[in-house]
Amino acid sequence: MTTVYDVPADLLINKVAKDFNENNDKIDAPDWTSLVKTGVHKERKPENIDWWYVRCASILRRVYMDGPVGINSLRTFYGGKKDRGVTPETFKKGSGAIVRGALNQLEDAGYIQKVDAGRIVTSEGKSFLDKTSGELIKDIPELEKY
């Protein structure tokens, strides 16, 4: 059986994001997504118009792999170095509102559930990601033999 660990992350995230954008009624980009940066370490807003769906797919994969996870660990994962001019760069966490909003939408869709230690992927979320991984591995002939 093919799992998330068997396919490249970028292919899986793009496929899941495309599915969220086209078929899922519960994952919708908020109105403010065209105006915001993804963290204080960024200079501009994302260039990809559908970046919300990509972030939701990435968070779903991250919770699948690392779960149970909390908002702070996801903020750390999506953070980066802030350019402070002449002063040395420092690490800054990513936006908490984006992580919380994405997690809430994924919970409403039934892919993630909240437990005492953080958030974990539900059986519906696991089967969705594993089915998507199985579809992807058929398109990649050199990965099929593993």
Side-chain angles (χ1 to χ4, degrees):
M1 180 175 162
T2 306
T3 63
V4 170
Y5 301 101
D6 300 331
V7 295
D10 58 338
L11 296 177
L12 178 66
I13 289 170
N14 289 333
K15 174 93 169 144
V16 171
K18 185 178 176 185
D19 188 53
F20 282 166
N21 193 5
E22 294 173 354
N23 302 330
N24 202 327
D25 297 333
K26 295 190 179 189
I27 307 286
D28 289 322
D31 297 334
W32 48 263
T33 55
S34 61
L35 306 171
V36 298
K37 306 186 301 181
T38 56
V40 295
H41 61 285
K42 297 290 186 177
E43 291 186 10
R44 297 186 195 96
K45 63 182 184 171
E47 292 179 2
N48 185 356
I49 297 169
D50 297 328
W51 70 269
W52 181 262
Y53 304 104
V54 174
R55 181 59 60 96
C56 286
S58 176
I59 287 176
L60 181 60
R61 179 182 173 274
R62 185 81 354 225
V63 173
Y64 181 100
M65 295 181 76
D66 294 341
V69 295
I71 292 172
N72 247 349
S73 63
L74 290 171
R75 285 186 66 198
T76 303
F77 181 77
Y78 292 108
K81 290 183 179 180
K82 179 170 176 60
D83 183 11
R84 302 188 309 163
V86 181
T87 312
E89 298 174 334
T90 57
F91 180 82
K92 298 291 181 183
K93 292 183 179 181
S95 171
I98 293 172
V99 171
R100 279 189 298 276
L103 285 173
N104 286 335
Q105 286 190 3
L106 290 168
E107 283 177 18
D108 292 341
Y111 295 131
I112 289 178
Q113 71 180 13
K114 189 186 264 189
V115 294
D116 290 339
R119 287 177 172 84
I120 59 171
V121 177
T122 62
S123 59
E124 181 183 343
K126 282 185 181 181
S127 67
F128 171 68
L129 286 175
D130 290 342
K131 284 179 189 174
T132 307
S133 299
E135 293 170 9
L136 280 174
I137 205 157
K138 291 177 185 173
D139 297 337
I140 308 170
E142 63 269 3
L143 290 179
E144 212 169 273
K145 58 187 168 192
Y146 293 112

